[in-house]
Amino acid sequence: MDEPTGPKEAKKERVLHTRVPAVLERELKRFAEKLRIPVSNLVRTILEDAVSVADVATENVEQGLKRAAEHLEHERERLKKRIEQHDPLAGVVAFQEVTLAMPVSCARCNSELPAGTRVHLGISDGRDGREGPRVFVCGTCLPRA
Ligand SMILES: [Zn+2]
């Protein structure tokens, strides 16, 4: 059966499956581990990066991923910066345990944290121009020594 299509469906994020050589998979995993982010986040960042860098009019997503991945070794630093821009905890220098007065989502894993939960409020040093809403993380996502 075909999946229903329509405006509602178009907004959903899609799951892409693509073949990658084993060595590339290892590389992606190693890189993601180093940055302490899920591989899927890394792949998404690489794709977004490829899309923004390249003229994608004639290039499909899979080609974009392959091409970007080929350059992974050389573009580590640039990608790292880019991922850090996406990092909801970038600029956070400390966490303080607080009790929620209203429900929020964990900034890292997105799990819903109801009012009354003990969570950790990210405190920014305010020097990097970080703006936006306060960030909270759940106990699981709290960095550990
Ligand atoms: Zn979390």
Side-chain angles (χ1 to χ4, degrees), residues 30-39 41 87 108 143-144:
R30 208 156 56 94
F31 193 37
E33 241 165 61
K34 219 161 142 190
L35 297 170
R36 288 181 294 173
I37 57 165
V39 174
N41 281 16
D87 184 355
R108 182 151 269 172
R144 290 176 206 284

Side-chain angles (χ1 to χ4, degrees), residues 106-111 113 136-142:
C106 173
R108 182 151 269 172
C109 72
N110 248 345
S111 63
L113 308 166
F136 298 95
V137 295
C138 70
T140 311
C141 293
L142 190 68

Side-chain angles (χ1 to χ4, degrees), residues 3-4 6-15:
E3 283 183 24
K8 219 177 163 187
E9 201 66 20
K11 276 186 194 161
K12 274 193 190 166
E13 294 197 330
R14 299 300 180 121
V15 175

Side-chain angles (χ1 to χ4, degrees), residues 45-133:
T45 303
I46 290 171
L47 282 173
E48 285 173 1
D49 192 63
V51 166
S52 69
V53 168
D55 173 16
V56 290
T58 58
E59 186 173 54
N60 70 30
V61 174
E62 192 169 344
Q63 285 170 329
L65 177 58
K66 278 183 180 157
R67 193 174 46 77
E70 280 162 17
H71 296 133
L72 190 58
E73 192 65 45
H74 310 290
E75 299 196 342
R76 254 168 211 231
E77 279 313 302
R78 202 171 58 78
L79 279 170
K80 193 164 175 264
K81 284 206 184 86
R82 201 175 163 90
I83 285 163
E84 279 163 1
Q85 285 170 11
H86 283 251
D87 184 355
L89 301 181
V92 169
V93 295
F95 291 97
Q96 182 167 31
E97 195 176 4
V98 294
T99 302
L100 287 176
M102 54 185 282
V104 299
S105 303
C106 173
R108 182 151 269 172
C109 72
N110 248 345
S111 63
E112 288 184 22
L113 308 166
T117 311
R118 299 289 286 173
V119 298
H120 304 270
L121 169 65
I123 297 166
S124 141
D125 66 2
R127 288 185 303 182
D128 60 353
R130 190 190 142 72
E131 284 171 23

